[in-house]
Amino acid sequence: METIDVGNIFQGISTLARSDSAIIVARIGLIFLGILLVYLGRKGVLEPLVMIPMGLGMAAINAGVLFMPDGTQGNLFVDPMASDPVKLIDIMQINFLQPLYTLMFSNGLIACFIFMGIGVLLDVGFLLQRPFTSMFIALCAELGTFLVLPIAHAMGLSLRDSASIAMVGGADGPMVLFTSLSLSKELFVPITVVAYLYLGLAYGGYPYLVRLMVPKRFRAIKMTHAKPKKQYSPATKLTFAVIMCVVLCLLFPVAAPLFFSLFIGVAIRESGMQHLIDFIGGPLLYGSTFMLGILLGVLCEAHLLLDPKILVLLVLGILALLISGIGGILGGYAMYFITKGNFNPVIGIAGVSCVPTTAKVAQKIVGKDNPSSMILPEALGANISGVITTAIITGLYITIIPMLENL
Amino acid sequence: MLHVFIATLLIMVATFLVGLATAWLIRVVADVLYYAEHRSLKQDVKTRVRLMHLQDIRRKRIMRQLVSSSLFDTDMFDFSNSKEYKHKTSYSPESELIKFFYGNN
């Protein structure tokens, strides 16, 4: 009579028992990290929209490992490394998240959907009212994106990988996704996971950086305007979106899908097509963010993340975000001195283009120290400019880095 | 390594230049659109005021016409045979107004 192997029934446990010690530790660690992310997302310390599905996905993928027919260990969620078309078709019929990953995530479609949603939520009027200030702050807040490139190269990463991880400093998830897809396919998964993990942390971490760098008397500055700002009509904003979309696509064709997605959102908002605004700003944006969170979670699989480069990426990612935050605040101080004290340096943090998280963070911090101070319009202007500057750098990196490698 | 630092520096400068050029472009586009819109609005208001003024003149002239001539005619709305009508039709713009309101007959 054939004996029943209990391990075959509870394969999640038996795969754990038959793995290397490093894998065992990584799997258990990631399960607990996933649960922690759900908890912190629920508490509001991290961005719950991404962190709750990501945390649960991370815990589930590391718990749900099983033996595949060929004897190897695998899962029924997703195989991010599959690239052979025949194998891919087979996998798509088995792994339930594979169609989403292959047809939406790895080609950047999900990033474009999120950008459309952001476009629908954006009021470009804030940018039109003060383009130079907003752009200056945003450029300063890209400091990490520039400085981490040579640092990463000095730490042994290739130029392409260095540029991809440096993009984390731009704090723009879709841009990181797009750059790593274009420049370093092999590190695409870990870089994207690191980027989104840190973007979630930025929500909780940046307030400490601001409080550390900006004393209370500066944080409480209430800005005054000598003359009222121009109010732009929806027709003006729509025309602006069309012109900017065409010009930026003309200048940076590599980032054209992202520019198009952002400005189509703005165009729809300013056209007043309420059904589309409701759809893109609601189900499409939230649906895409939810799917992105789930996919990022299931990509945090122990085997995949045990790449020796991961630790380096983790250090570089946080360094990029930290330097960008510092750069943004320094830009805020520069504007404070230029305007002879009529500028709140906290706005600098909003130059880090994590739309609209950093703008919200800036207003929240200022509102605590001086409830009558309203900096949200300026912060949103810097925030939107941050998206444009990050897209410019994406275009420059994708164009220049391959050329540099050939030197 | 040196070439990476130089390249990074160049990319940084290029980004600053492109960024500031974009800001300038945004300012120009915003200003042009803003003034074009407000100019057309002003123009719109001017045209409306002028039209109202013209309508007012037209109304006053017709009333004057009616009072001065037609009230004493048998058919007060038949201007075709009135001296006033014939006289008025010889010059513009009142003749045009009368034509407009009562036709060529």
Side-chain angles (χ1 to χ4, degrees):
Chain A
M1 196 179 121
E2 206 172 321
T3 55
I4 297 171
D5 186 0
V6 181
N8 270 341
I9 300 171
F10 302 109
Q11 290 196 15
I13 297 164
S14 57
T15 49
L16 201 63
R18 289 181 208 175
S19 299
D20 300 339
S21 54
I23 294 284
I24 297 170
V25 172
R27 271 181 66 186
I28 294 172
L30 285 166
I31 290 171
F32 281 107
L33 180 63
I35 295 167
L36 183 69
L37 289 181
V38 174
Y39 173 74
L40 293 176
R42 175 68 184 85
K43 278 284 205 184
V45 178
L46 301 180
E47 182 68 74
L49 269 177
V50 176
M51 285 304 146
I52 291 177
M54 184 174 171
L56 198 56
M58 192 187 283
I61 190 86
N62 287 292
V65 179
L66 75 166
F67 292 111
M68 303 307 279
D70 60 357
T72 57
Q73 292 186 12
N75 61 71
L76 296 178
F77 289 74
V78 69
D79 181 1
M81 292 303 163
S83 56
D84 176 49
V86 179
K87 197 182 165 199
L88 205 55
I89 294 291
D90 285 343
I91 292 172
M92 273 210 262
Q93 294 174 69
I94 300 165
N95 292 348
F96 85 106
L97 284 173
Q98 195 71 39
L100 266 183
Y101 176 82
T102 308
L103 302 174
M104 281 187 75
F105 188 81
S106 65
N107 58 5
L109 178 63
I110 208 160
C112 289
F113 280 163
I114 291 174
F115 253 57
M116 281 182 204
I118 291 171
V120 160
L121 299 181
L122 282 185
D123 183 354
V124 287
F126 299 125
L127 174 61
L128 293 175
Q129 284 169 352
R130 40 186 94 72
F132 281 102
T133 311
S134 305
M135 201 56 89
F136 176 73
I137 295 282
L139 285 166
C140 292
E142 295 291 355
L143 196 64
T145 319
F146 297 120
L147 292 188
V148 167
L149 173 66
I151 294 172
H153 192 58
M155 285 174 80
L157 292 185
S158 73
L159 262 179
R160 284 167 179 261
D161 296 344
S162 306
S164 301
I165 190 66
M167 280 309 296
V168 176
D172 212 320
M175 297 288 181
V176 180
L177 208 155
F178 205 72
T179 315
S180 49
L181 255 176
S182 308
L183 292 179
S184 49
K185 274 253 181 199
E186 307 80 43
L187 283 182
F188 159 62
V189 174
I191 287 176
T192 313
V193 170
V194 166
Y196 276 96
L197 196 65
Y198 283 145
L199 293 188
L201 288 172
Y203 190 68
Y206 271 155
Y208 296 103
L209 179 69
V210 173
R211 287 200 186 95
L212 192 72
M213 285 188 71
V214 187
K216 194 175 177 181
R217 67 187 176 95
F218 286 112
R219 294 200 303 263
I221 289 174
K222 187 179 176 181
M223 290 154 60
T224 51
H225 301 290
K227 53 181 182 180
K229 291 282 174 191
K230 287 177 190 165
Q231 294 302 318
Y232 294 92
S233 70
T236 305
K237 290 177 196 169
L238 172 65
T239 318
F240 166 77
V242 172
I243 294 171
M244 286 309 290
C245 180
V246 173
V247 170
L248 289 174
C249 287
L250 203 65
L251 290 175
F252 306 105
V254 280
L258 290 177
F259 284 130
F260 169 77
S261 305
L262 181 72
F263 285 111
I264 193 77
V266 176
I268 284 168
R269 174 196 166 97
E270 301 307 339
S271 306
M273 291 183 276
Q274 202 52 48
H275 292 301
L276 277 180
I277 294 171
D278 292 344
F279 168 66
I280 296 173
L284 188 69
L285 177 61
Y286 287 101
S288 302
T289 312
F290 173 68
M291 292 302 172
L292 180 74
I294 289 181
L295 281 170
L296 287 169
V298 299
L299 288 175
C300 295
E301 207 254 321
H303 293 90
L304 207 68
L305 293 188
L306 274 182
D307 191 312
K309 280 183 181 170
I310 285 291
L311 191 66
V312 178
L313 293 179
L314 282 168
V315 172
L316 289 169
I318 196 114
L319 194 66
L321 269 178
L322 188 69
I323 298 174
S324 285
I326 292 170
I329 294 170
L330 291 179
Y333 273 119
M335 282 309 301
Y336 170 81
F337 289 114
I338 291 168
T339 57
K340 294 178 183 127
N342 190 22
F343 193 87
N344 194 321
V346 178
I347 295 169
I349 201 73
V352 183
S353 66
C354 196
V355 182
T357 308
T358 44
K360 279 195 313 198
V361 164
Q363 178 58 51
K364 216 169 140 184
I365 295 166
V366 170
K368 260 187 192 166
D369 293 313
N370 181 0
S372 68
S373 180
M374 173 54 82
I375 58 151
L376 198 61
E378 283 81 4
L380 276 169
N383 225 200
I384 301 163
S385 299
V387 177
I388 296 174
T389 51
T390 312
I392 291 171
I393 299 172
T394 303
L396 284 171
Y397 275 3
I398 293 175
T399 316
I400 294 174
I401 296 296
M403 284 160 59
L404 273 177
E405 274 197 332
N406 297 330
L407 282 178
Chain B
M1 198 61 217
L2 187 68
H3 79 278
V4 177
F5 274 104
I6 294 168
T8 309
L9 209 64
L10 287 176
I11 291 173
M12 203 187 224
V13 173
T15 310
F16 261 81
L17 290 177
V18 176
L20 292 177
T22 311
W24 175 80
L25 180 72
I26 292 170
R27 165 55 56 84
V28 170
V29 171
D31 282 353
V32 168
L33 292 173
Y34 184 82
Y35 288 114
E37 189 178 56
H38 281 75
R39 200 182 134 88
S40 72
L41 268 178
K42 271 184 193 167
Q43 203 68 40
D44 201 27
V45 171
K46 269 185 191 170
T47 315
R48 276 165 192 268
V49 169
R50 199 155 165 261
L51 267 173
M52 281 164 65
H53 185 61
L54 276 175
Q55 278 173 344
D56 199 37
I57 291 172
R58 182 187 289 171
R59 197 167 50 244
K60 280 178 183 165
R61 282 183 182 162
I62 298 299
M63 285 307 290
R64 218 171 31 235
Q65 187 96 8
L66 288 169
V67 171
S68 65
S69 60
S70 311
L71 276 176
F72 303 102
D73 288 351
T74 323
D75 185 357
M76 65 185 289
F77 293 108
D78 182 11
F79 286 91
S80 54
N81 293 319
S82 97
K83 279 181 189 174
E84 191 69 24
Y85 173 72
K86 281 173 186 166
H87 173 68
K88 296 279 186 192
T89 48
S90 60
Y91 65 90
S92 59
E94 279 172 285
S95 57
E96 290 304 312
L97 279 172
I98 291 164
K99 270 187 210 166
F100 175 73
F101 273 90
Y102 301 102
N104 282 324
N105 300 324

